[in-house]
């Protein structure tokens, strides 16, 4: 006979890990490999309704994570991991997000991997995996 647990499951987010994410479009070079960056036919322009974001700072702010965080924002701990040589997503977006999180008193950690591009083996190195494991254990404790 099987026993089924009646313990309630929850979808509460305990922590977030951001691997080299495109988190902001506030800077002109946020996505350096996108020739049409911020234009209506760019990925970010299409996401906002085929709008030229160069002419719409309000929509740029709505799409940029750091512009939507305040001291009152309920957000779990965040771990940001980005390579210093990322040619797809500029590292400055992750830096801006980290600084905004800290400014608002949020729990955040930031790992810059020297010489790493957008993805690659450096992100699964023993040192990075150790940090990731510690973060996950911390947020699930």
């Amino acid at each position: 006979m099987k026993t089924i647990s009646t313990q309630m499951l929850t979808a509460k987010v305990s922590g977030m890990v951001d691997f080299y994410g495109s988190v902001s479009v506030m800077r002109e070079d946020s996505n350096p490999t996108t020739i049409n960056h911020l234009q209506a036919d760019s990925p970010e322009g299409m996401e906002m309704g085929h709008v030229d974001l160069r002419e719409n700072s309000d929509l740029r702010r709505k799409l940029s994570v750091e512009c939507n965080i305040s001291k009152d924002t309920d957000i779990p701990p965040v771990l940001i991991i980005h390579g210093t040589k990322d040619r797809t997503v500029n590292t400055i977006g992750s830096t801006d997000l980290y600084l905004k999180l800290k400014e608002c008193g949020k729990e955040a950690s930031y790992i810059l991997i020297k010489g790493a591009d957008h993805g690659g083996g450096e992100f699964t190195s023993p040192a990075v995996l150790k940090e990731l494991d510690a973060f996950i254990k911390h947020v699930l404790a």
Side-chain angles (χ1 to χ4, degrees):
M1 180 160 98
K2 282 188 174 181
T3 303
I4 299 174
S5 173
T6 58
Q7 180 180 0
M8 192 67 128
L9 297 177
T10 178
K12 179 180 181 251
V13 176
S14 299
M16 295 185 291
V17 178
D18 167 13
F19 280 98
Y20 42 83
S22 179
V23 295
S24 180
V25 293
M26 293 307 294
R27 296 179 185 258
E28 293 299 322
D29 61 348
S30 298
N31 297 297
T33 57
T34 307
I35 297 170
N36 59 345
H37 180 56
L38 298 175
Q39 296 174 33
D41 62 341
S42 69
E44 57 273 23
M46 289 188 286
E47 177 67 26
M48 299 309 283
H50 296 274
V51 174
D52 188 332
L53 295 173
R54 296 172 299 177
E55 301 167 1
N56 195 319
S57 59
D58 287 341
L59 286 180
R60 284 171 81 168
R61 281 191 290 280
K62 284 183 181 180
L63 191 57
S64 299
V65 178
E66 79 279 10
C67 297
N68 294 285
I69 296 172
S70 70
K71 291 183 188 225
D72 297 329
T73 305
D74 184 22
I75 190 167
V78 178
L79 172 61
I80 302 167
I81 305 173
H82 211 127
T84 62
K85 299 285 185 175
D86 193 325
R87 295 171 288 172
T88 304
V89 175
N90 195 324
T91 304
I92 196 67
S94 290
T95 302
D96 290 343
L97 174 57
Y98 172 74
L99 293 173
K100 180 66 174 199
L101 288 164
K102 297 305 278 185
E103 174 188 314
C104 292
K106 307 304 176 189
E107 185 178 339
S109 302
Y110 188 21
I111 298 171
L112 277 170
I113 302 175
K114 188 175 181 178
D117 198 356
H118 194 74
E122 300 92 342
F123 291 90
T124 57
S125 71
V128 173
L129 292 178
K130 180 178 178 184
E131 292 292 330
L132 182 59
D133 182 61
F135 176 77
I136 292 170
K137 287 176 179 172
H138 166 69
V139 300
L140 294 178

